Amino acid sequence: MAEITASAVKELRERSGAGMMDCKKALIETDGEMEAAVDWLRTKGLAAAAKKSSRTAAEGLVGVAVAGTKGVAVEVNSQTDFVAKNEQFQSFVRDVTALALEKGDDIDALKATPMAQGGTVEEVLTSNIATIGENQVLRRAKAVSVANGAVIPYVHNAAAPGLGKIGVLVALESDAGVDVLEPLGKQIAMHIAAQFPLALDETGLDPQVLERERAIATEKAAESGKPAEIIEKMVDGAVKKFAKENALLSQPFVIDGKTPVADVVAKAGKDAGSPIVIKDYVRFQLGEGIEKEESDFAAEVAATAGLKK
């Protein structure tokens, strides 16, 4: 058997765009023959998948799943919304979400987890890229749990059970019954989907976000021409207002538009005879934070056909 050198693996990776381990395996399978290794990768769909992996994936699906007192949300991206309607893709997202519920939300560990149909999550995803013909990315996952109470899921505009473009989980810690926690959690989850809080409470807000808001408020206040001490109060007031509007517990409940969420939860606990606490929540919106590429579809079709637009 020919010796497989690091330089040969590097060369094959540069030629094919496939992953390092796939390139090493290809060279082993072909006894170090470079051209045969390229063909091996193409045959397995790995070279094609690697090329597609450079394309922006901002569509796809968010999956949510709950079991007992724990739940998880997972986002898997694709290039176009068409793939989100593909049964193969939906099945993959559903299966990966179920695995995350069992194994945890560490993405690297999740990618290395074996799937029932054979192969790891990452290997099946690579195969799906080659089969479906679009880049796909297992982007993020987050699990929440309570010692006692319930985790309530909600999917906005569901594409299939447990799958959609916005997935929410609300973790309620309480001795109250499910008959109390489920309807309350569903309403709070709908609120979270609509109002997009940035943190559970004001202390949980990202300091960098607050500093950015302070800088914006300072610039605006400076234009007023007021004395420095007045400007300082204006800035403090603007930052406090921003924090109040973006922390879940202080937001006006979307159902009535005025009662803070914290008060809604407190009243529900009082009525149930058992305190209720929102321990944590998850809100995954598909493609959030991904800069989408602007594309000219007609030009892409023409290019594929070898024509000039």
Side-chain angles (χ1 to χ4, degrees), residues 114-232:
M115 299 193 75
Q117 64 266 48
T120 64
V121 168
E122 187 165 29
E123 288 168 346
V124 173
L125 181 61
T126 299
S127 175
N128 287 350
I129 293 171
T131 302
I132 295 174
E134 279 194 15
N135 185 28
Q136 296 155 54
V137 177
L138 174 54
R139 185 185 182 204
R140 55 180 174 166
K142 183 180 177 181
V144 294
S145 64
V146 292
N148 193 31
V151 175
I152 293 87
Y154 171 69
V155 177
H156 186 66
N157 288 340
L163 304 174
K165 292 194 173 184
I166 299 178
V168 178
L169 296 169
V170 179
L172 298 178
E173 189 86 53
S174 179
D175 289 325
V178 175
D179 59 323
V180 172
L181 299 180
E182 281 198 351
L184 175 65
K186 179 72 176 294
Q187 287 189 333
I188 294 172
M190 292 173 69
H191 169 98
I192 292 169
Q195 299 302 106
F196 197 177
L198 300 179
L200 179 60
D201 56 32
E202 294 180 22
T203 63
L205 289 167
D206 187 339
Q208 292 186 343
V209 171
L210 293 177
E211 280 305 309
R212 187 163 63 246
E213 287 303 315
R214 180 172 291 278
I216 293 170
T218 299
E219 187 173 340
K220 286 183 178 179
E223 295 174 356
S224 68
K226 296 183 183 296
E229 62 273 16
I230 300 298
I231 288 177
E232 184 177 352

Side-chain angles (χ1 to χ4, degrees), residues 3 13 23 73 82 84 89 98 106 108 115-116 144 171 201 209 212 233 240 244 255 264-265 275 284 296 298 305:
E3 180 185 359
R13 186 184 185 193
C23 289
F82 294 109
F89 183 77
D106 181 276
D108 289 335
M115 299 193 75
V144 294
D201 56 32
V209 171
R212 187 163 63 246
K233 290 180 180 179
K240 287 179 180 177
K244 184 177 180 180
I255 301 298
V264 172
V265 175
F284 276 4
D296 185 331

Side-chain angles (χ1 to χ4, degrees), residues 17-309:
M20 293 289 284
M21 295 306 295
D22 290 326
C23 289
K24 183 177 180 180
K25 186 175 182 181
L27 287 165
I28 292 172
E29 292 290 332
T30 58
D31 201 28
E33 291 291 331
M34 187 63 63
E35 294 303 324
V38 171
D39 291 343
W40 188 91
L41 287 168
R42 291 182 62 190
T43 299
K44 299 296 183 182
L46 297 172
K51 291 178 181 178
K52 290 173 181 127
S53 69
S54 65
R55 303 176 188 171
T56 301
E59 297 293 341
L61 287 170
V62 172
V64 297
V66 170
T69 55
K70 65 178 181 179
V72 69
V74 174
E75 179 180 357
V76 183
N77 299 121
S78 61
Q79 285 175 248
T80 68
D81 189 46
F82 294 109
V83 171
K85 300 169 185 175
N86 180 294
E87 178 54 38
Q88 181 181 347
F89 183 77
Q90 290 187 359
S91 179
F92 175 77
V93 178
R94 191 178 296 111
D95 290 346
V96 171
T97 304
L99 280 176
L101 184 61
E102 178 186 355
K103 303 294 185 181
D105 57 12
D106 181 276
I107 287 295
D108 289 335
L110 193 56
K111 287 179 178 178
T113 302
M115 299 193 75
Q117 64 266 48
T120 64
V121 168
E122 187 165 29
E123 288 168 346
V124 173
L125 181 61
T126 299
S127 175
N128 287 350
I129 293 171
T131 302
I132 295 174
E134 279 194 15
N135 185 28
Q136 296 155 54
V137 177
L138 174 54
R139 185 185 182 204
R140 55 180 174 166
K142 183 180 177 181
V144 294
S145 64
V146 292
N148 193 31
V151 175
I152 293 87
Y154 171 69
V155 177
H156 186 66
N157 288 340
L163 304 174
K165 292 194 173 184
I166 299 178
V168 178
L169 296 169
V170 179
L172 298 178
E173 189 86 53
S174 179
D175 289 325
V178 175
D179 59 323
V180 172
L181 299 180
E182 281 198 351
L184 175 65
K186 179 72 176 294
Q187 287 189 333
I188 294 172
M190 292 173 69
H191 169 98
I192 292 169
Q195 299 302 106
F196 197 177
L198 300 179
L200 179 60
D201 56 32
E202 294 180 22
T203 63
L205 289 167
D206 187 339
Q208 292 186 343
V209 171
L210 293 177
E211 280 305 309
R212 187 163 63 246
E213 287 303 315
R214 180 172 291 278
I216 293 170
T218 299
E219 187 173 340
K220 286 183 178 179
E223 295 174 356
S224 68
K226 296 183 183 296
E229 62 273 16
I230 300 298
I231 288 177
E232 184 177 352
K233 290 180 180 179
M234 290 171 65
V235 171
D236 287 343
V239 173
K240 287 179 180 177
K241 181 174 183 289
F242 174 86
K244 184 177 180 180
E245 290 176 346
N246 288 280
L248 172 59
L249 294 178
S250 56
Q251 287 182 327
F253 196 35
V254 73
I255 301 298
D256 66 13
K258 59 181 181 180
T259 308
V261 170
D263 292 350
V264 172
V265 175
K267 183 178 184 303
K270 184 177 179 181
D271 292 344
S274 177
I276 300 173
V277 175
I278 303 179
K279 184 179 179 182
D280 203 354
Y281 76 92
V282 182
R283 183 191 188 277
F284 276 4
Q285 181 165 341
L286 187 66
E288 176 188 341
I290 299 176
E291 187 174 341
K292 296 185 180 182
E293 293 178 341
E294 297 295 331
S295 62
D296 185 331
F297 184 67
E300 288 182 9
V301 172
T304 301
L307 304 171
K308 291 184 179 180
K309 185 180 175 183

